PDB file of all heavy atoms in Angstrom:
ATOM      1  N   LEU V  76     -88.251 -27.987 -41.992  1.00 98.00           N
ATOM      2  CA  LEU V  76     -89.501 -27.512 -41.411  1.00 98.00           C
ATOM      3  C   LEU V  76     -90.561 -28.613 -41.415  1.00 98.00           C
ATOM      4  O   LEU V  76     -91.177 -28.912 -40.378  1.00 98.00           O
ATOM      5  CB  LEU V  76     -90.004 -26.298 -42.200  1.00 98.00           C
ATOM      6  CG  LEU V  76     -91.235 -25.570 -41.646  1.00 98.00           C
ATOM      7  CD1 LEU V  76     -90.907 -24.920 -40.310  1.00 98.00           C
ATOM      8  CD2 LEU V  76     -91.717 -24.530 -42.649  1.00 98.00           C
ATOM      9  N   PHE V  84     -84.518 -24.512 -35.793  1.00 98.00           N
ATOM     10  CA  PHE V  84     -85.262 -23.263 -35.932  1.00 98.00           C
ATOM     11  C   PHE V  84     -85.319 -22.482 -34.625  1.00 98.00           C
ATOM     12  O   PHE V  84     -86.030 -21.472 -34.534  1.00 98.00           O
ATOM     13  CB  PHE V  84     -86.684 -23.546 -36.434  1.00 98.00           C
ATOM     14  CG  PHE V  84     -86.731 -24.075 -37.846  1.00 98.00           C
ATOM     15  CD1 PHE V  84     -86.748 -25.441 -38.075  1.00 98.00           C
ATOM     16  CD2 PHE V  84     -86.732 -23.215 -38.919  1.00 98.00           C
ATOM     17  CE1 PHE V  84     -86.793 -25.937 -39.370  1.00 98.00           C
ATOM     18  CE2 PHE V  84     -86.773 -23.694 -40.214  1.00 98.00           C
ATOM     19  CZ  PHE V  84     -86.796 -25.063 -40.451  1.00 98.00           C
ATOM     20  N   LYS V  97     -96.969 -31.742 -36.233  1.00 92.00           N
ATOM     21  CA  LYS V  97     -97.327 -32.254 -37.555  1.00 92.00           C
ATOM     22  C   LYS V  97     -96.072 -32.450 -38.384  1.00 92.00           C
ATOM     23  O   LYS V  97     -95.331 -31.500 -38.638  1.00 92.00           O
ATOM     24  CB  LYS V  97     -98.281 -31.291 -38.263  1.00 92.00           C
ATOM     25  CG  LYS V  97     -98.709 -31.781 -39.635  1.00 92.00           C
ATOM     26  CD  LYS V  97     -99.590 -30.759 -40.341  1.00 92.00           C
ATOM     27  CE  LYS V  97     -99.962 -31.230 -41.737  1.00 92.00           C
ATOM     28  NZ  LYS V  97    -100.785 -30.217 -42.468  1.00 92.00           N
ATOM     29  N   ALA V 137     -92.589 -51.784 -61.145  1.00 93.00           N
ATOM     30  CA  ALA V 137     -92.238 -51.345 -62.497  1.00 93.00           C
ATOM     31  C   ALA V 137     -90.732 -51.135 -62.620  1.00 93.00           C
ATOM     32  O   ALA V 137     -90.021 -50.993 -61.614  1.00 93.00           O
ATOM     33  CB  ALA V 137     -92.979 -50.052 -62.831  1.00 93.00           C
ATOM     34  N   ASP V 227     -95.947 -19.527 -60.334  1.00 91.00           N
ATOM     35  CA  ASP V 227     -94.597 -19.035 -60.614  1.00 91.00           C
ATOM     36  C   ASP V 227     -94.377 -17.745 -59.829  1.00 91.00           C
ATOM     37  O   ASP V 227     -94.960 -16.711 -60.138  1.00 91.00           O
ATOM     38  CB  ASP V 227     -94.440 -18.786 -62.109  1.00 91.00           C
ATOM     39  CG  ASP V 227     -93.045 -18.320 -62.481  1.00 91.00           C
ATOM     40  OD1 ASP V 227     -92.215 -18.149 -61.573  1.00 91.00           O
ATOM     41  OD2 ASP V 227     -92.787 -18.131 -63.685  1.00 91.00           O
ATOM     42  N   VAL V 283     -88.281  -3.050 -57.362  1.00 95.00           N
ATOM     43  CA  VAL V 283     -88.420  -2.279 -56.120  1.00 95.00           C
ATOM     44  C   VAL V 283     -87.383  -2.728 -55.081  1.00 95.00           C
ATOM     45  O   VAL V 283     -86.589  -1.930 -54.592  1.00 95.00           O
ATOM     46  CB  VAL V 283     -89.843  -2.429 -55.539  1.00 95.00           C
ATOM     47  CG1 VAL V 283     -89.947  -1.695 -54.196  1.00 95.00           C
ATOM     48  CG2 VAL V 283     -90.875  -1.909 -56.528  1.00 95.00           C
ATOM     49  N   PHE V 290     -73.393 -15.107 -52.518  1.00 97.00           N
ATOM     50  CA  PHE V 290     -72.069 -15.686 -52.711  1.00 97.00           C
ATOM     51  C   PHE V 290     -70.991 -14.603 -52.730  1.00 97.00           C
ATOM     52  O   PHE V 290     -69.964 -14.719 -52.062  1.00 97.00           O
ATOM     53  CB  PHE V 290     -72.037 -16.477 -54.024  1.00 97.00           C
ATOM     54  CG  PHE V 290     -70.764 -17.243 -54.240  1.00 97.00           C
ATOM     55  CD1 PHE V 290     -70.569 -18.467 -53.623  1.00 97.00           C
ATOM     56  CD2 PHE V 290     -69.756 -16.743 -55.049  1.00 97.00           C
ATOM     57  CE1 PHE V 290     -69.384 -19.182 -53.811  1.00 97.00           C
ATOM     58  CE2 PHE V 290     -68.581 -17.437 -55.247  1.00 97.00           C
ATOM     59  CZ  PHE V 290     -68.392 -18.665 -54.623  1.00 97.00           C
ATOM     60  N   PHE V 302     -63.776  -8.111 -55.315  1.00 95.00           N
ATOM     61  CA  PHE V 302     -63.414  -9.005 -56.404  1.00 95.00           C
ATOM     62  C   PHE V 302     -64.695  -9.572 -57.010  1.00 95.00           C
ATOM     63  O   PHE V 302     -65.748  -9.592 -56.368  1.00 95.00           O
ATOM     64  CB  PHE V 302     -62.526 -10.141 -55.862  1.00 95.00           C
ATOM     65  CG  PHE V 302     -62.025 -11.088 -56.923  1.00 95.00           C
ATOM     66  CD1 PHE V 302     -61.024 -10.707 -57.793  1.00 95.00           C
ATOM     67  CD2 PHE V 302     -62.562 -12.363 -57.037  1.00 95.00           C
ATOM     68  CE1 PHE V 302     -60.558 -11.577 -58.770  1.00 95.00           C
ATOM     69  CE2 PHE V 302     -62.114 -13.240 -58.008  1.00 95.00           C
ATOM     70  CZ  PHE V 302     -61.105 -12.843 -58.886  1.00 95.00           C
ATOM     71  N   TRP V 305     -68.690 -13.966 -57.667  1.00 95.00           N
ATOM     72  CA  TRP V 305     -69.781 -14.739 -58.294  1.00 95.00           C
ATOM     73  C   TRP V 305     -69.500 -14.983 -59.764  1.00 95.00           C
ATOM     74  O   TRP V 305     -69.632 -16.096 -60.261  1.00 95.00           O
ATOM     75  CB  TRP V 305     -71.109 -14.003 -58.123  1.00 95.00           C
ATOM     76  CG  TRP V 305     -72.258 -14.688 -58.794  1.00 95.00           C
ATOM     77  CD1 TRP V 305     -72.996 -15.721 -58.292  1.00 95.00           C
ATOM     78  CD2 TRP V 305     -72.809 -14.403 -60.089  1.00 95.00           C
ATOM     79  NE1 TRP V 305     -73.971 -16.105 -59.199  1.00 95.00           N
ATOM     80  CE2 TRP V 305     -73.870 -15.306 -60.310  1.00 95.00           C
ATOM     81  CE3 TRP V 305     -72.505 -13.478 -61.083  1.00 95.00           C
ATOM     82  CZ2 TRP V 305     -74.628 -15.301 -61.483  1.00 95.00           C
ATOM     83  CZ3 TRP V 305     -73.256 -13.471 -62.251  1.00 95.00           C
ATOM     84  CH2 TRP V 305     -74.306 -14.381 -62.436  1.00 95.00           C
ATOM     85  N   PHE V 306     -69.099 -13.933 -60.470  1.00 92.00           N
ATOM     86  CA  PHE V 306     -68.873 -14.056 -61.907  1.00 92.00           C
ATOM     87  C   PHE V 306     -67.784 -15.084 -62.201  1.00 92.00           C
ATOM     88  O   PHE V 306     -67.875 -15.843 -63.172  1.00 92.00           O
ATOM     89  CB  PHE V 306     -68.473 -12.696 -62.487  1.00 92.00           C
ATOM     90  CG  PHE V 306     -68.539 -12.631 -63.984  1.00 92.00           C
ATOM     91  CD1 PHE V 306     -69.666 -12.141 -64.621  1.00 92.00           C
ATOM     92  CD2 PHE V 306     -67.474 -13.053 -64.764  1.00 92.00           C
ATOM     93  CE1 PHE V 306     -69.737 -12.078 -66.000  1.00 92.00           C
ATOM     94  CE2 PHE V 306     -67.528 -12.993 -66.149  1.00 92.00           C
ATOM     95  CZ  PHE V 306     -68.670 -12.498 -66.771  1.00 92.00           C
ATOM     96  N   ARG V 338     -91.939 -17.656 -72.552  1.00 60.00           N
ATOM     97  CA  ARG V 338     -91.832 -18.271 -73.870  1.00 60.00           C
ATOM     98  C   ARG V 338     -90.527 -19.048 -74.041  1.00 60.00           C
ATOM     99  O   ARG V 338     -90.001 -19.152 -75.139  1.00 60.00           O
ATOM    100  CB  ARG V 338     -91.923 -17.202 -74.955  1.00 60.00           C
ATOM    101  CG  ARG V 338     -93.231 -16.466 -74.981  1.00 60.00           C
ATOM    102  CD  ARG V 338     -93.488 -15.866 -76.357  1.00 60.00           C
ATOM    103  NE  ARG V 338     -92.451 -14.948 -76.771  1.00 60.00           N
ATOM    104  CZ  ARG V 338     -92.573 -13.619 -76.719  1.00 60.00           C
ATOM    105  NH1 ARG V 338     -93.666 -13.086 -76.240  1.00 60.00           N
ATOM    106  NH2 ARG V 338     -91.594 -12.840 -77.142  1.00 60.00           N
ATOM    107  N   ASP V 342     -86.015 -24.483 -78.851  1.00 75.00           N
ATOM    108  CA  ASP V 342     -86.028 -24.216 -80.283  1.00 75.00           C
ATOM    109  C   ASP V 342     -86.016 -22.723 -80.594  1.00 75.00           C
ATOM    110  O   ASP V 342     -85.853 -22.327 -81.741  1.00 75.00           O
ATOM    111  CB  ASP V 342     -87.256 -24.859 -80.928  1.00 75.00           C
ATOM    112  CG  ASP V 342     -87.232 -26.378 -80.809  1.00 75.00           C
ATOM    113  OD1 ASP V 342     -86.158 -26.957 -81.053  1.00 75.00           O
ATOM    114  OD2 ASP V 342     -88.267 -26.961 -80.455  1.00 75.00           O
ATOM    115  N   SER V 430     -59.417 -11.860 -89.820  1.00 62.00           N
ATOM    116  CA  SER V 430     -59.993 -11.326 -91.052  1.00 62.00           C
ATOM    117  C   SER V 430     -61.428 -11.785 -91.271  1.00 62.00           C
ATOM    118  O   SER V 430     -62.274 -11.025 -91.743  1.00 62.00           O
ATOM    119  CB  SER V 430     -59.130 -11.740 -92.257  1.00 62.00           C
ATOM    120  OG  SER V 430     -57.825 -11.226 -92.111  1.00 62.00           O
ATOM    121  N   GLY V 443     -70.532  -2.996 -81.972  1.00 79.00           N
ATOM    122  CA  GLY V 443     -70.543  -3.745 -80.723  1.00 79.00           C
ATOM    123  C   GLY V 443     -69.312  -3.488 -79.888  1.00 79.00           C
ATOM    124  O   GLY V 443     -69.388  -3.269 -78.673  1.00 79.00           O
ATOM    125  N   SER V 458     -68.572   8.642 -69.179  1.00 80.00           N
ATOM    126  CA  SER V 458     -68.618   8.241 -70.583  1.00 80.00           C
ATOM    127  C   SER V 458     -70.001   7.693 -70.906  1.00 80.00           C
ATOM    128  O   SER V 458     -70.569   6.927 -70.150  1.00 80.00           O
ATOM    129  CB  SER V 458     -67.562   7.171 -70.861  1.00 80.00           C
ATOM    130  OG  SER V 458     -67.670   6.677 -72.176  1.00 80.00           O
ATOM    131  N   PHE V 482     -68.485   7.590 -85.091  1.00 90.00           N
ATOM    132  CA  PHE V 482     -67.772   6.518 -85.773  1.00 90.00           C
ATOM    133  C   PHE V 482     -68.454   6.173 -87.092  1.00 90.00           C
ATOM    134  O   PHE V 482     -69.677   6.026 -87.150  1.00 90.00           O
ATOM    135  CB  PHE V 482     -67.713   5.272 -84.888  1.00 90.00           C
ATOM    136  CG  PHE V 482     -67.037   5.515 -83.566  1.00 90.00           C
ATOM    137  CD1 PHE V 482     -67.786   5.720 -82.416  1.00 90.00           C
ATOM    138  CD2 PHE V 482     -65.660   5.545 -83.470  1.00 90.00           C
ATOM    139  CE1 PHE V 482     -67.177   5.952 -81.194  1.00 90.00           C
ATOM    140  CE2 PHE V 482     -65.037   5.778 -82.250  1.00 90.00           C
ATOM    141  CZ  PHE V 482     -65.793   5.983 -81.106  1.00 90.00           C
ATOM    142  N   ASN V 485     -66.210   2.215 -93.201  1.00 87.00           N
ATOM    143  CA  ASN V 485     -65.922   2.236 -94.638  1.00 87.00           C
ATOM    144  C   ASN V 485     -66.451   3.506 -95.308  1.00 87.00           C
ATOM    145  O   ASN V 485     -66.948   3.481 -96.440  1.00 87.00           O
ATOM    146  CB  ASN V 485     -66.513   1.003 -95.335  1.00 87.00           C
ATOM    147  CG  ASN V 485     -65.717  -0.254 -95.019  1.00 87.00           C
ATOM    148  OD1 ASN V 485     -64.560  -0.188 -94.613  1.00 87.00           O
ATOM    149  ND2 ASN V 485     -66.340  -1.399 -95.211  1.00 87.00           N
ATOM    150  N   LYS V 509     -66.367  23.895 -70.725  1.00 94.00           N
ATOM    151  CA  LYS V 509     -65.278  22.958 -70.993  1.00 94.00           C
ATOM    152  C   LYS V 509     -64.900  23.031 -72.461  1.00 94.00           C
ATOM    153  O   LYS V 509     -65.712  23.450 -73.308  1.00 94.00           O
ATOM    154  CB  LYS V 509     -65.696  21.524 -70.654  1.00 94.00           C
ATOM    155  CG  LYS V 509     -65.956  21.271 -69.177  1.00 94.00           C
ATOM    156  CD  LYS V 509     -66.327  19.803 -68.934  1.00 94.00           C
ATOM    157  CE  LYS V 509     -66.591  19.550 -67.457  1.00 94.00           C
ATOM    158  NZ  LYS V 509     -66.938  18.121 -67.202  1.00 94.00           N
ATOM    159  N   GLY V 524     -58.873  -1.730 -89.153  1.00 80.00           N
ATOM    160  CA  GLY V 524     -58.615  -0.741 -88.119  1.00 80.00           C
ATOM    161  C   GLY V 524     -59.062   0.643 -88.535  1.00 80.00           C
ATOM    162  O   GLY V 524     -59.888   0.819 -89.429  1.00 80.00           O
TER     163      GLY V 524
END
Side-chain angles (χ1 to χ4, degrees):
L76 186 66
F84 293 93
K97 181 183 177 182
D227 182 358
V283 176
F290 187 81
F302 183 74
W305 177 83
F306 194 95
R338 297 203 301 258
D342 296 316
S430 299
S458 174
F482 301 100
N485 286 340
K509 294 182 180 181

